[in-house]
């Protein structure tokens, strides 16, 4: 029992209250008593807290000024609105490359081959060791990985970082092989495997929207031929087929997201937005779970990009705005708008985010 001002609450009720607090509030209340101080490090409470917090999707985006020399991060949530989002504790100029279950993978802007994994909510950070393989070869075409993925397994309390792309020996043309480096948080080491892949086509959004479900990382091909999936357990690539209506469609824009732990694709045409969900992963069965009219935002349709979703709402970004669509009430709401001019469109650096107490150490 807990006694506050003469009112008794069962311990389970207190726990259910605490797991619904923002992380900052939770850590502030650690000073209340010894039991509360220990809670955030106890596995039972961590699983309970993360199990609740992963249900709320938020959007994190970088907002740049017109010159491109200054930028700041914002976090937009359905319940908490818009708040500042700082990565100053990294003590480095970085850009976010991937997000998964409360952790972010960031790359250093001044230094190549320097990657961090951090939890902005708890301000934990881990500098990843450099791979011995990286100085020997160069990723094509920019010397950086084409794909960057982060897989945070909350159940096993571990994470993986993936860097993948076509590679070439120094001074040579790409040889058509696809190189993949996987960092394992438990061993604190990188492993490498090389495979033959068809010439992959990825747009910026295809690379940004990597989804971790069923122990695999998923990227949508720019050609909409299929979804490229990486099986982290067996270090193997596989192809996941899209719905026939999408693969055979013409003139539609398609984006890969997550929906309550399942793969989801959002198909946007001039007047409608269709939300597909993979109902049966093993058999590749897709179903349409929502059909949304875009008449209310007709002028914005050519430049909207879905970033994250839950069963209740959907966040989308335009060049200068963050929009929220409430699926039950069918209402649209502007959550954020860039003041003045911006050097990059808002969707260019927008990621799905969850606030958890997942550890990266």
């Amino acid at each position: 029992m807990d006694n506050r001002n003469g009112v008794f609450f069962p311990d389970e009720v207190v726990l259910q209250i605490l797991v619904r607090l923002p992380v900052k509030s939770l850590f502030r209340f650690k000073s209340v008593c010894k039991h509360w101080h220990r809670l955030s490090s106890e596995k039972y409470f961590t699983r309970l807290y993360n199990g609740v917090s992963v249900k709320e999707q938020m959007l994190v985006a970088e907002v740049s000024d017109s010159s491109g020399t200054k930028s700041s991060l914002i976090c937009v949530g359905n319940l908490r609105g818009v708040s500042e989002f700082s990565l100053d504790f990294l003590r480095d100029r970085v850009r976010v490359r991937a997000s998964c279950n409360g952790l972010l993978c960031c790359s250093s802007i001044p230094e190549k081959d320097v990657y961090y994994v951090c939890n902005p909510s708890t301000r934990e950070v881990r500098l990843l060791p450099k791979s011995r393989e990286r100085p020997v070869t160069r990723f094509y075409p920019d010397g950086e990985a084409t794909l960057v993925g982060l897989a945070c397994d909350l159940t096993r309390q571990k994470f993986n970082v993936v860097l993948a792309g076509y590679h070439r020996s120094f001074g040579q043309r790409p040889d058509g092989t696809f190189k993949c480096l996987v960092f394992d948080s438990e061993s604190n080491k990188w492993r490498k495997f090389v495979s033959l892949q068809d010439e992959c086509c990825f747009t910026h959004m295809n690379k940004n929207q990597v989804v971790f479900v069923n122990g695999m990382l998923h990227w949508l091909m720019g050609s909409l031929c299929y979804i490229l999936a990486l099986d982290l357990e067996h270090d193997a690539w596989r192809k996941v087929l899209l719905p026939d209506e999408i693969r055979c469609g013409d003139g539609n824009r398609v984006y890969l997201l997550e929906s309550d732990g399942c793969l989801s694709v959002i198909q946007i045409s001039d007047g409608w937005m269709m939300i597909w969900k993979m109902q049966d992963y093993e058999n590749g069965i897709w179903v349409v779970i929502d059909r949304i009219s875009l008449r209310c935002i007709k002028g914005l349709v050519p430049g909207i990009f879905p970033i994250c979703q839950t069963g209740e709402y959907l966040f989308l970004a335009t060049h200068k705005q963050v929009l929220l669509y409430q699926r039950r009430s069918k209402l649209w709401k502007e959550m954020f708008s860039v003041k003045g001019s911006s050097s990059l469109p808002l969707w260019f650096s927008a990621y799905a985010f969850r606030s958890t107490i997942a550890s990266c150490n």
Side-chain angles (χ1 to χ4, degrees):
M1 293 286 190
D2 200 356
N3 185 354
R4 298 291 182 268
N5 297 322
V7 180
F8 289 87
F9 294 100
D11 289 344
E12 189 58 36
V13 173
V14 174
L15 285 179
Q16 290 298 327
I17 294 173
L18 292 176
V19 297
R20 285 163 173 79
L21 293 176
V23 175
K24 288 184 178 179
S25 299
L26 179 67
F27 277 72
R28 191 181 305 127
F29 292 153
K30 291 176 71 172
S31 59
V32 171
C33 62
K34 291 182 179 179
H35 177 56
W36 286 19
H37 184 80
R38 295 192 303 266
L39 276 179
S40 60
S41 59
E42 293 181 354
K43 290 184 179 181
Y44 168 76
F45 181 79
T46 299
R47 286 195 298 268
L48 194 63
Y49 187 94
N50 291 339
V52 172
S53 61
V54 294
K55 297 176 183 178
E56 183 184 357
Q57 283 272 21
M58 293 178 282
L59 178 148
V60 167
E62 182 178 357
V63 181
S64 304
D65 63 10
S66 56
S67 65
T69 57
K70 293 183 179 180
S71 64
S72 58
L73 289 168
I74 59 166
C75 183
V76 185
N78 179 40
L79 300 176
R80 303 171 193 174
V82 182
S83 58
E84 292 184 358
F85 193 84
S86 176
L87 296 176
D88 291 346
F89 63 94
L90 295 179
R91 302 182 184 275
D92 193 0
R93 287 180 59 230
V94 300
R95 63 173 173 144
V96 178
R97 301 299 303 272
S99 172
C100 184
N101 288 336
L103 298 185
L104 296 179
C105 177
C106 305
S107 61
S108 173
I109 294 175
E111 290 190 66
K112 279 193 173 183
D113 305 336
V114 174
Y115 288 88
Y116 303 90
V117 171
C118 67
N119 184 328
S121 301
T122 63
R123 299 176 72 86
E124 273 191 4
V125 59
R126 183 164 174 175
L127 172 63
L128 303 189
K130 289 189 177 182
S131 168
R132 295 178 181 178
E133 299 287 343
R134 300 205 71 195
V136 180
T137 57
R138 298 290 187 271
F139 282 105
Y140 175 79
D142 301 318
E144 291 188 353
T146 303
L147 304 179
V148 178
L150 174 64
C152 175
D153 190 327
L154 293 174
T155 303
R156 300 172 63 184
Q157 298 187 41
K158 63 168 289 185
F159 70 85
N160 295 103
V161 173
V162 171
L163 308 177
Y166 292 97
H167 72 98
R168 59 183 172 87
S169 299
F170 187 73
Q172 302 295 319
R173 294 179 60 85
D175 57 12
T177 55
F178 206 62
K179 172 181 169 184
C180 185
L181 297 173
V182 181
F183 175 79
D184 185 280
S185 63
E186 292 179 328
S187 66
N188 197 42
K189 294 180 180 179
W190 293 89
R191 63 180 186 266
K192 182 186 82 168
F193 68 97
V194 177
S195 57
L196 293 175
Q197 290 289 335
D198 299 332
E199 187 70 31
C200 297
C201 173
F202 298 98
T203 67
H204 178 81
M205 288 300 292
N206 295 150
K207 292 188 292 184
N208 267 19
Q209 293 188 314
V210 50
V211 176
F212 176 58
V213 299
N214 287 349
M216 299 188 187
L217 287 168
H218 302 78
W219 288 269
L220 180 64
M221 302 296 295
S223 58
L224 301 185
C225 298
Y226 52 85
I227 295 169
L228 186 64
L230 174 60
D231 184 341
L232 291 165
E233 193 71 28
H234 302 97
D235 285 348
W237 295 96
R238 59 174 290 190
K239 297 177 181 178
V240 178
L241 293 180
L242 290 162
D244 291 339
E245 294 88 338
I246 291 179
R247 288 188 291 121
C248 301
D250 187 28
N252 294 325
R253 291 185 288 132
V254 180
Y255 303 93
L256 180 66
L257 277 74
E258 178 202 350
S259 178
D260 300 324
C262 298
L263 281 181
S264 173
V265 288
I266 294 184
Q267 180 183 17
I268 297 178
S269 61
D270 290 337
W272 293 93
M273 180 162 58
M274 304 280 285
I275 302 180
W276 297 75
K277 183 176 180 179
M278 181 167 272
Q279 188 179 62
D280 186 336
Y281 191 91
E282 292 301 320
N283 295 305
I285 298 176
W286 296 86
V287 294
V288 176
I289 60 172
D290 210 343
R291 188 169 183 263
I292 301 167
S293 172
L294 300 177
R295 286 179 297 177
C296 293
I297 57 165
K298 189 173 182 180
L300 300 175
V301 172
I304 60 170
F305 296 82
I307 305 299
C308 58
Q309 67 176 334
T310 70
E312 298 180 0
Y313 55 86
L314 172 66
F315 275 114
L316 305 98
T318 70
H319 195 277
K320 289 190 173 185
Q321 299 161 297
V322 174
L323 303 177
L324 174 70
Y325 177 75
Q326 297 282 1
R327 293 173 62 178
R328 290 182 181 176
S329 62
K330 302 184 184 301
L331 295 177
W332 292 89
K333 181 180 179 181
E334 181 183 278
M335 299 293 292
F336 176 81
S337 180
V338 176
K339 307 302 179 185
S341 58
S342 178
S343 59
L344 289 174
L346 197 60
W347 53 260
F348 193 85
S349 58
Y351 294 84
F353 181 72
R354 292 177 167 111
S355 182
T356 70
I357 51 177
S359 176
C360 55
N361 291 317

